[in-house]
Structure formats: C-alpha cells, structure tokens
Amino acid sequence: MARKRVKLQRILNDAQRRATFKKRLKGLTKKATELATLCGVEMCLIVYGEGAVEATEVWPSVPEATSVLERFKAMPDLDR
Amino acid sequence: MARKRVKLQRILNDAQRRATFKKRLKGLTKKATELATLCGVEMCLIVYGEGAVEATEVWPSVPEATSVLERFKAMPDLDR
DNA sequence: TGTCCTATCATTAGTTG
DNA sequence: GCAACTAATGATAGGAC
C-alpha cells in the first residue's frame, strides 16, 4: 500500500517479514480498538507466530482475552 | 475516514452503528487475512456484540478459532 | 436495510539515519 | 534492528438508489 504493491503471499525474507508483521499488527490492533470503541463491542485477537521468529501476540491483553475466551467456551454450540 | 472524520467514541444511532460495524468488521478481517498470509501466522478474532444488536462474530471460522484457543489455553502461563 | 460509488482520510512499502 | 519520513495504495463516511 505504498511505494509499491505487495504480493499476497508469504514474505520469504525473514527480516522484512518481521518488519511487515510489526507494522501491520500495529495497524490491525488500532483498527480493532476503533471498532470496539465506535460500536461498543468486546473483542480479542490472538496471533501465533511461526516458531520463535514471530512471538505470539494477544490483544488487548491476556486477562481480557481470557475473559472473552471463557465466554466463547461457555457458549452453547447452537449459538456459535 | 472519508468525506468526514468520525469521532472516536461509541456511535449512538443504532442503524449507523450497525452499518459502521459491518463495514469495519469486513475491513478488519481483510487486514487480518493479509497479515496471516504475508507473515505466515495463525490467528483468530472473536467479537462480542452488545446484546442482540450486533451479533457475535468469530473469524476466520469457529473450528479454526477453537483450535487456536485450545493452544492458547494449553500454553503455560509463563509463555503468555 | 443492503449495495454501489467516490471524495477524503488512513495505512503502509520503501527508504533514510 | 528501530523510528521517522514520504509517496502511493488502501479503507471508509456519506450519499444515491
């Protein structure tokens, strides 16, 4: 989305993939914050990096995400 | 972000809030898809709407989200 | 209400220090 | 490797239907 479009496939270069991950994760969480604020909803986001390269990320925080997950787990299958 | 900027606070009008929620959720999941593809990571997103107004949303799918959640639940506290 | 359009604002790829 | 900057693409508020 800038000087050049990026192909929609896994970035092979490790350093560049990490850099892109960091930038886009920031953008994604910002959007998530805006959506939660504007629409008055609760939400959580969990990202699993591959091995030790990208760390696992939990948003907005581990306790809040856990709370949301408990509600999801407790929800009857029919409602899912 | 378009003809006019929107205030970063809960949209009071129900119809408009629903419309904004739908548009932004679509944009958010698109971004999430791109991040997962570009960086080769697994992720899930869970949104709880308020009461019956906005429905609960799970991305990318309930089975995949459940899989990610199981891994999160099984993860030692120290790693979180 | 849902979808399409598009002017306008937001995000970000590439680059520099 | 990170933060800042900038050009260029991407997302979306408001409007039309």
Side-chain angles (χ1 to χ4, degrees), chain B residues 11-34:
Chain B
I11 297 167
L12 296 177
N13 181 283
D14 276 13
Q16 187 169 14
R17 189 174 61 255
R18 277 180 64 82
T20 293
F21 179 73
K22 187 183 176 183
K23 280 189 175 183
R24 280 176 171 257
L25 183 66
K26 182 184 172 186
L28 188 66
T29 54
K30 183 178 180 180
K31 289 275 188 187
T33 301
E34 290 182 1

Side-chain angles (χ1 to χ4, degrees), chain A residues 1-78:
Chain A
M1 305 126 177
R3 308 304 179 78
K4 195 180 179 183
R5 271 189 249 170
V6 75
K7 285 173 65 181
L8 223 53
Q9 68 180 223
R10 187 168 182 282
I11 298 166
L12 295 177
N13 182 280
D14 276 13
Q16 187 168 16
R17 189 173 63 254
R18 277 180 63 82
T20 294
F21 179 73
K22 188 184 174 183
K23 281 189 175 185
R24 279 176 173 258
L25 183 66
K26 182 184 171 186
L28 189 65
T29 53
K30 183 179 179 180
K31 289 276 188 188
T33 302
E34 289 182 0
L35 179 60
T37 302
L38 292 173
C39 302
V41 297
E42 274 188 89
M43 57 191 289
C44 76
L45 178 66
I46 299 181
V47 186
Y48 280 96
E50 38 179 359
V53 184
E54 281 90 19
T56 294
E57 297 283 344
V58 179
W59 179 93
S61 71
V62 173
E64 290 182 78
T66 303
S67 166
V68 172
L69 301 190
E70 289 299 319
R71 284 175 58 187
F72 178 70
K73 204 176 59 179
M75 186 177 282
D77 288 352
L78 274 177

